[in-house]
Every structure is written in structure tokens, then in C-alpha cells.
Amino acid sequence: GFPEVEHVYGKIGRARTATDPAPLSMTETVVTFKPEDQWRPGMTFEKIKDELNKLARTPGAPAIWWMPIQTRIEMMATGIRSEIGIKVMGPDLGVIQQVAEQIEGVLKNDPNTATAFAERVTGGYYVDFNINRDEIARYGLTVGDVQTIVESAIGGKTISWIVEGRERYPVNVRYARDHREDLQALRRVLVPTPTGAQVPMEQLADIRLRTGPPAIRDENGMLAGFVFVDTQNTDLGTYVNRAKKLIADNVKLPPGYFLSWGGQYQYMLKARETLKLVIPLTLVIIFVLLYLNFNNVTEALIVLLSIPFALIGGIWLVWLLDYNFSVAVAVGFIALAGVAAETGVVMIVYLDEAWEQLRKTTAKPTLDGLYHAVKEGAVQRVRPVMMTVCSTITGLLPIMWSHGAGALTMKRIAAPMVGGMISATILTLILIPVIYFLWRSRGVEATPTEAKPVRKLLLASIIMGALVLGGGGWWLWHSLSGSSQPAAVVTTQTVGPYQFKVLGESTQLSIGDNAIRIEVTDATGKPVDVGSVWLELRLDMPGMPMQATAQLEQGQSPGVF
């Protein structure tokens, strides 16, 4: 047993309502834990999951460790009851199951795969009543008469309801189990005729047992089978990119079959595209507000430098805590941008006051006077900055140490803000006064002895700015864009002396927009410039030819489109 577990209860099957997305074969087990102070030393939620997963390994019944509400939301939104769902789509269920089982076997060998299970889309058993129309006509029966007996006598039919207060109980009538438990008993079921005779069912219908799909999934007009995958010790983007390569190298998809990726990975792609728009828009809004406040583009840009300064600490703390880039982390960075800009605004306000005071007291300001004015303005800002930072971090630290419902998400929002406030404080107090001094020094005459420190400050600011913008910008772009460039071989065609290789994000083109890369080489594998290339996509079905042309653009390298 587990000393961390308080009690366990389970549910099998599904409710008789369309609002329950659980399949018939799904078993839900709810595990309630004791308070964390009663756990074993060093025990974490991830370690408990690993131990439970080792004990709960049952062939054909993989364990997926999710929160109760999360399970329902994910299943109702995507139809997938795991982190990643691979949809195998095509015209034949048997082939779909073969491909799905191959994918299951390939992914199970990946060390970051917690569970991988291919849904069995065939293998269900059915009792077929093939009614003989000629025979039932001899007895004056209709197909509906025979089907009514099958429904009521064998399947059971509700004829009334018992009402007890607010409770309702159906009254169901059917044959006793001895008269319907096997094929021989079913063949002896009697069907009344209009003349009053009782005819055995075997004289009216051919009754046999056959196999078929237990459930039929339909996606975009095509048959589908799902492979449910749960990951461990990695992020979804990295896992999916590696899984795509494993599948492309080890699984051969027959013509007319393709793969589609769903589940949380589908949300991740949508969130990534949204963040590509939201983050630049946030920066634009901040810049506009700063310009309306200062009426000066330069000062607005100087304040914006507080944001990359803050990114440094946020990125380091997220890395140290081993958090993957997610929507929650992105929200934390967006909130950090606003707080960092606020800190920069107050710094610029103090520096402007010191500059204006210098201009009023000195007819012709010097670099030495500007230096002391900027130093005075920056020193006056230390106490307000420290008060702002300490109050913000003090409010966020309880979130960083919190446990319970919503803590995992809130920690990832707070982490960038805590780390960012620390780095933004240090760099804002040091670099913004330097940059402000360099900007204001353009209108101040400098002696040869005073010009040397200016050059040193300028060089140091340029180097620091390049490191901050380059490092932070690369990390954000890499996190948002991922590695979704076309890299999987879709098909290879030889035309004359040339070989055309078509690459996509996976081995099969998906429904909707696709990024396609075409490489043209000669027999030795050397890229060849063949001028223009025309690509036609076809998906012909019986009696329904479908085709479309793709718009290609010449790449920067020869033979690449």
C-alpha cells in the first residue's frame, strides 16, 4: 500500500447520456491523497505517479494519470483521453488497426513514453438476424413484426415506469436468460403469426455470430482509429517531433491512409500561433502607452529596454525550476513586461527631473554635471524600486510555495515574474541611467578627457544590449516556433535524371494547411536548379475524383521549393 493514499474508489462504464464522453471500456479510479506533511520524506506527486504506474500495469488497460475535471474537459473538447492522440485515418478498419498497433509498438520503446495504447477498432462480437423475406411472407408477417420480437423478447423493452416520489424505475420485459443465452436458444424463440400460430425464429431468419467493430469512429468523413499516448519527463513539442520521426522511419502507411495528431498537442499548436500574435501586440500596446506618457520616442524605447532586462531573470528561474514553456509561463512573461515597464517609467521620471533641474541651474551643462545629475536621479530611485520589487516578490512567493488545486499553473505564472523582477531591478538601476546619460550627452559638449568615459559606457551598453536582446529573443522565438519545419519525407519521385523529394511536418499530409518542402537532386544527390516546379495533390475516391494544385515558391538554395 501507499502511506500517502487516503482512500480509493472507482467507476466502470459510462452514463446513459451523450454528455458522458467515456467509452464503455473505460475505468475511472479516483485516488485521494493525504496532506503533504504526512507523505514520506522526499516524496513528490511525480514519484507517486511513477510508483503507482509500475503497480497498475495491466495488459490492454494502460493507466493515464489525470485530474478528474481535466479528463472530462479534454475528452469532450478533443475526444482524446490522453495527452497525445494519434488518429489513423483511412477507408478500412482492419488496416487502421494494423497501423495503429505498429505505432503503439514503436512508441513504447521511447523512454519518454509513459503509456501507449492503440484502440482496438475490430474484434467485437455480434449476433446477426438475417430475416428471410420469402419465409415471413408465407406466414403473413412483416420485417417489423420479427424485429419487434427480437427487441422485446431478446433485447428487452420498457413497457412502463414505477414512480416512487422523485424516483423513476423502468419496467422492462424480456425472455428469461435460459431462453436467450446462446444461439440454439435464440433459434427456438417463437414468433406469433396473424393466424395464431407460433413459428420458431430459425424458420424466419438466419441467426449467426460474427465479428465486427465494437465502435466506429468517423473523422471528416473517413474512418478513424486512435492511439492514446501519455508522456513523461519531457514536453509535448519535443516528444511529438521525435515521435513523428520514429513513426516515419518504422511504420509504412498504405496508400490512402494518413495520420493526424490531437489531444493537448493540438492545443499547444493553437496556443503557439496565438502567442505569436499576442506577445508582439502586447509590446506594441506598451510602447504606445509609453509614447502617450512621455511624448518622446527615445524615452519610450529606453523604458522598453526594461523588458529584455526582466526576461533574463525570468528565463533563468524557469530553467532552474525545470518548467517547460507553456501558456501559463507566457502569461507570466506578459505580466512581467507590464511590471518591468512600470519600473522603467519611474526611473525615467526621476532622471528627467534631475536633467531639468540641471538645465535650470546651469546655463551650459557639462558632461561632469550631467553625470552627477543622472547619478543623483538614479540614487533617488533605489528606495522606490526596492519597495516595489520587495512587495511584488513577497506577494508572489506564497504562490511559488503553494500546493493544491491550481498550484501547478499558478507556479508557472509566478516564476517568470519573480525571476524577472530580480534581474529587472539590478539591470534597470545600472543600465538605464547609463543609456539615459549617453542619450542626453549628445547635446553636451565634452572635453577630450570627458569623452573617453562616454565611449566606454557606450561600448558596454551595446555589448550588454546585444547579449540581452539576442539571448532572450532567441529563447522566446525558439520556444514559440518550435521545430515544425518540414523534415519528414512524404514521398520521393524520380523524373528522368532528377529525383524529387517531398517533405512535410509528418509522413502524411494533414487536413487543412500544410507546409511542404520540395528538394530536387540529380543521381549523385547534388541539388539541381530545374526552373519552375508544378505540384498537384490528388485524393481520388470511387466516383469522386479530387485534386488541387499547390503554390510553390523558390527557396534560397538551388533546387529547393
Side-chain angles (χ1 to χ4, degrees):
F2 281 82
E4 292 81 10
V5 176
E6 183 174 352
H7 58 77
V8 180
Y9 67 91
K11 176 187 80 74
I12 189 169
R14 67 187 296 271
R16 298 183 61 183
T17 171
T19 61
D20 189 353
L24 292 173
S25 58
M26 180 173 174
T27 301
E28 293 179 279
T29 303
V30 179
V31 181
T32 303
F33 295 106
K34 297 177 181 178
E36 288 193 32
D37 56 5
Q38 301 180 26
W39 291 7
R40 286 169 288 175
M43 184 59 65
T44 63
F45 182 61
E46 294 299 327
K47 292 181 180 179
I48 293 178
K49 284 202 308 182
D50 292 339
E51 291 189 16
L52 288 173
N53 198 40
K54 292 177 182 178
L55 292 178
R57 291 188 181 276
T58 304
I64 299 173
W65 306 99
W66 271 11
M67 299 299 175
I69 301 301
Q70 180 188 12
T71 306
R72 281 293 180 269
I73 293 175
E74 295 291 342
M75 291 175 62
M76 294 182 69
T78 66
I80 305 297
R81 59 181 185 270
S82 60
E83 287 184 327
I84 301 172
I86 306 174
K87 303 176 183 179
V88 185
M89 306 177 73
D92 184 81
L93 289 175
V95 179
I96 288 175
Q97 179 165 320
Q98 292 177 8
V99 173
E101 290 176 351
Q102 292 179 30
I103 294 174
E104 174 190 329
V106 169
L107 295 183
K108 279 185 175 179
N109 297 324
D110 191 292
N112 295 121
T113 300
T115 58
F117 176 71
E119 184 180 48
R120 271 45 179 178
V121 295
T122 60
Y125 287 90
Y126 295 87
V127 178
D128 266 5
F129 288 79
N130 188 11
I131 300 174
N132 190 323
R133 295 177 180 270
D134 293 336
E135 289 296 327
I136 64 174
R138 291 178 55 192
Y139 295 101
L141 297 170
T142 64
V143 173
D145 295 332
V146 180
Q147 290 178 339
T148 299
I149 298 300
V150 173
E151 176 191 5
S152 58
I154 301 174
K157 186 174 183 179
T158 300
I159 60 173
S160 181
W161 291 82
I162 297 176
V163 180
E164 294 184 4
R166 295 181 57 83
E167 300 174 1
R168 303 292 188 273
Y169 300 98
V171 178
N172 191 279
V173 177
R174 60 178 173 176
Y175 279 5
R177 182 174 297 276
D178 294 342
H179 299 287
R180 54 181 173 83
E181 63 181 356
D182 54 37
L183 292 183
Q184 293 301 324
L186 293 177
R187 292 189 177 101
R188 293 192 297 269
V189 171
L190 299 177
V191 180
T193 66
T195 61
Q198 302 284 336
V199 182
M201 181 68 74
E202 63 179 348
Q203 295 186 17
L204 306 176
D206 180 21
I207 307 173
R208 63 179 59 185
L209 195 67
R210 72 175 183 88
T211 60
I216 299 177
R217 294 187 183 272
D218 181 276
E219 292 277 339
N220 296 314
M222 301 190 70
L223 299 176
F226 290 176
V227 182
F228 301 102
V229 183
D230 228 14
T231 64
Q232 60 184 2
N233 304 325
T234 187
D235 62 284
L236 290 181
T238 301
Y239 180 86
V240 170
N241 291 330
R242 186 168 63 249
K244 287 181 177 180
K245 187 176 186 307
L246 285 173
I247 294 173
D249 295 340
N250 298 280
V251 179
K252 179 66 175 177
L253 294 178
Y257 295 82
F258 61 93
L259 305 180
S260 178
W261 296 75
Q264 290 186 7
Y265 175 71
Q266 180 181 352
Y267 284 146
M268 187 196 73
L269 295 180
K270 293 180 180 179
R272 178 181 294 168
E273 295 302 319
T274 302
L275 290 175
K276 287 181 181 179
L277 174 65
V278 170
I279 292 178
L281 182 61
T282 301
L283 297 178
V284 171
I285 292 174
I286 292 175
F287 175 78
V288 171
L289 294 175
L290 292 174
Y291 178 77
L292 293 176
N293 180 63
F294 292 112
N295 291 323
N296 190 301
V297 174
T298 304
E299 289 189 325
L301 292 175
I302 293 176
V303 173
L304 279 181
L305 287 177
S306 303
I307 297 177
F309 296 161
L311 289 180
I312 295 177
I315 291 171
W316 274 108
L317 187 56
V318 168
W319 178 77
L320 289 173
L321 295 175
D322 197 23
Y323 291 163
N324 296 317
F325 188 85
S326 62
V327 175
V329 173
V331 170
F333 276 114
I334 292 173
L336 174 63
V339 178
E342 178 187 4
T343 305
V345 166
V346 180
M347 172 64 77
I348 293 296
V349 169
Y350 274 76
L351 295 177
D352 279 343
E353 289 181 357
W355 167 251
E356 293 298 329
Q357 185 66 26
L358 176 65
R359 292 180 61 186
K360 290 178 181 180
T361 58
T362 306
K364 189 176 182 180
T366 63
L367 280 182
D368 187 64
L370 175 61
Y371 171 79
H372 288 288
V374 171
K375 181 179 179 180
E376 180 183 357
V379 169
Q380 291 179 358
R381 177 59 182 141
V382 171
R383 182 178 295 175
V385 165
M386 297 309 298
M387 291 175 60
T388 303
V389 172
C390 291
S391 61
T392 303
I393 294 180
T394 303
L396 292 173
L397 284 180
I399 299 177
M400 296 291 298
W401 294 329
S402 64
H403 298 279
L408 295 178
T409 301
M410 295 305 298
K411 286 181 179 180
R412 283 155 177 79
I413 295 176
M417 299 185 66
V418 172
M421 289 302 297
I422 296 174
S423 64
T425 303
I426 299 173
L427 295 175
T428 298
L429 290 175
I430 296 175
L431 289 182
I432 284 187
V434 173
I435 297 171
Y436 187 89
F437 173 82
L438 294 173
W439 172 51
R440 289 299 187 186
S441 64
R442 294 181 307 167
V444 178
E445 295 183 3
T447 63
T449 56
E450 292 177 326
K452 291 182 180 179
V454 173
R455 296 193 189 100
K456 292 180 180 179
L457 288 173
L458 179 61
L459 180 61
S461 300
I462 293 175
I463 294 175
M464 182 63 71
L467 292 175
V468 172
L469 294 176
W474 174 87
W475 185 85
L476 280 178
W477 175 256
H478 178 76
S479 300
L480 291 176
S481 61
S483 55
S484 58
Q485 295 296 323
V489 178
V490 178
T491 184
T492 301
Q493 299 289 335
T494 302
V495 180
Y498 306 118
Q499 185 180 61
F500 292 77
K501 182 184 293 185
V502 181
L503 301 102
E505 297 180 4
S506 63
T507 56
Q508 294 289 330
L509 301 182
S510 60
I511 298 174
D513 295 335
N514 289 266
I516 299 174
R517 176 185 174 95
I518 298 180
E519 298 177 355
V520 186
T521 59
D522 57 17
T524 62
K526 182 180 179 181
V528 179
D529 187 2
V530 292
S532 60
V533 173
W534 178 65
L535 176 66
E536 182 183 74
L537 306 175
R538 302 181 63 92
L539 182 60
D540 292 342
M541 302 176 66
M544 187 189 302
M546 294 186 291
Q547 63 185 44
T549 57
Q551 182 68 34
L552 299 178
E553 296 181 0
Q554 178 71 47
Q556 297 181 354
S557 304
V560 176
F561 299 86

